[in-house]
Amino acid sequence: NAEQMGEGWSDFFALVTTTKPGDVAEKRRGMGTFVLRESTEGFGIRRYPYTTDMTINPITFGTVAESTESHDLGEIWAAVTWDLYWAFIEKYGYDADINNTNSGNFRAIQHIIDGLKFQPCSPGFIDGRDAIMLANILNYDGADTCLISSVFARRGMGYFASQGSNDDAADGVENFEPIPTCIRELKIKKTTSTPLIEPGQNVEFAITVTNHKEDAAVNVVVTDDLPAGLTFAGASNGGTFSNGMVTWHLGNMFSGQEIKLTYTAKSPAGIGSNRYFHDVMDTEDEWFSLDLDGNNEFFVLQNGVVKTGNGAFLATSKPTQTKFSLETTQSFVVTGNQPVMRLWTNYATETGVDAGIVEIHKVDEQAWSQFPADKVFRNPYPRKVDYQTFAIPFISGFSGNSNGWVQSYFDLSDYIGQEVTIRFQFGTNTDQNPLPNGSFYVDDIDVMDMLNYDTEACATDDAGDHVCARAPERGVIVQPGLVGTKEPDANTLAMQVQPNPANDFLYISLGQAVDGPLRIQLVGAD
């Protein structure tokens, strides 16, 4: 099956049977280094040497999606089981006599052997993790459940990780959290049910406080600063508002208790994100597409699968390894405190190999740069992409099935003050059986100085615990709003014209609400 441990098993046993007294967890252990005439600390025939040091060997469960070859897949499994081996040694010690059943190295090997027995046929990585957990329960009454959970979580196979289909190596979901009760502390989580609002609408925040300490949490107090600009409307569970802060006095919480809190506030009308670039992408006037052979591959599909306006750009999957781009003659200067670009995509591709990516280019430089995964939020790149697609290692892209249109945000803060332009690339691998009708659509681009509401909620108790959390994905984002309601005087209306220069279409954005007739005079040197 596509997601399986492959050569990871043999690498693990090669490592544990050649460990020597005095070896340490951080030591670099190359595999097959003799083939390349390297020292035993070299990379050998793997992408990284084995070590518990993740600055040297950073692979995680997410790397499975770009590791379709059995040896590459195996590296990930060998890395996490090697971590587990040293975690057991750290807890129980090492003994060169492998027959010492109380040693950490014996226990680690026993868990791996029994995990092989307990896992189902055609296992995936999470199946393998769970089988090792079962071995600990049956052999040691679960004494090391939290140790095993923490080791796997460190490399993305946490409690909430999902392997998806065992026959698809690219549909897994990483998670870096161990079993919740293994972290014995007071915890807080903040979310919002209103992640995107129009100016003037209410925002809602929810806060969950959980006591996972072994004892009661005494005199728990929860606070959250009301984001600037909002007007407090109300809170649940006796929450009060004073001096810009919402406060709850929860009293004592027994071990395992969870309390959910909510509050509501109103946003000011007419104040939203400041949009300064907009393209509905209905025509090819400002866009051009090229592939490696100079052929047009992206094209405007009129009145088809469209998000905004009358058209959207479409690229379709190919049965060969190729890539092609969609570029624009337009550029913009990145301004504002929180500049972001947002766009809509809609895709159904061969998972992990056929993918779309977004790149940015400073006008005064030559190089293009891909937006890194940590700069994309709200529907970020969902998959790692196989190296063969773009010949770039360890990148992510829009791949798989979006199940309709999704809107993604790209953080432009690294480019403030720079004039930039963007492009899209779509890549496919050599495949005799590509996804039928594989497609990648792009539509409707906005660039704006984002206004969002997001503060940090905190919980404290008398034991001195102090934990804080923010809502995910920048909290509540406000749509671009109309500025002011006063009727403008002559020549005071803030207007923006796009594109500039223009061909057959002009888009004119007004800076505020206007009732009644409006006359606009356009003067151009051409």
Side-chain angles (χ1 to χ4, degrees), residues 52-96:
T52 60
D53 185 346
M54 290 188 69
T55 64
I56 298 173
N57 187 324
I59 55 179
T60 65
F61 185 45
T63 316
V64 170
E66 60 191 75
S67 306
T68 55
E69 195 269 336
S70 62
H71 297 82
D72 290 347
L73 277 168
E75 289 182 49
I76 304 153
W77 185 249
V80 72
T81 51
W82 186 234
D83 289 353
L84 187 66
Y85 177 81
W86 284 103
F88 271 104
I89 291 174
E90 181 179 356
K91 183 173 182 179
Y92 296 105
Y94 172 84
D95 193 331

Side-chain angles (χ1 to χ4, degrees), residues 17-33:
T17 53
T18 54
T19 301
K20 299 181 178 65
D23 284 352
V24 294
E26 296 80 12
K27 180 179 179 180
R28 297 164 61 110
R29 294 287 304 276
M31 185 60 58
T33 53

Side-chain angles (χ1 to χ4, degrees), residues 302-323:
Q302 296 282 354
N303 300 313
V305 181
V306 175
K307 180 59 186 176
T308 303
N310 299 317
F313 276 90
L314 167 65
T316 57
S317 294
K318 309 295 180 186
T320 58
Q321 182 179 351
T322 187
K323 63 180 179 179

Side-chain angles (χ1 to χ4, degrees), residues 124-146:
F125 278 63
I126 304 304
D127 290 329
R129 178 203 68 184
D130 293 346
I132 292 172
M133 298 280 283
L134 178 60
N136 183 256
I137 292 171
L138 296 179
N139 292 340
Y140 301 99
D141 295 324
D144 301 302
T145 294
C146 287

Side-chain angles (χ1 to χ4, degrees), residues 27-47:
K27 180 179 179 180
R28 297 164 61 110
R29 294 287 304 276
M31 185 60 58
T33 53
F34 64 91
V35 176
L36 302 176
R37 301 176 184 269
E38 297 177 338
S39 73
T40 55
E41 294 186 353
F43 282 48
I45 57 176
R46 304 293 184 240
R47 287 172 289 183

Side-chain angles (χ1 to χ4, degrees), residues 444-463:
D444 197 15
I445 299 174
D446 288 318
V447 180
M448 59 189 181
D449 185 13
M450 180 181 67
L451 172 63
N452 69 318
Y453 298 118
D454 182 28
T455 53
E456 196 171 58
C458 297
T460 61
D461 67 4
D462 282 356

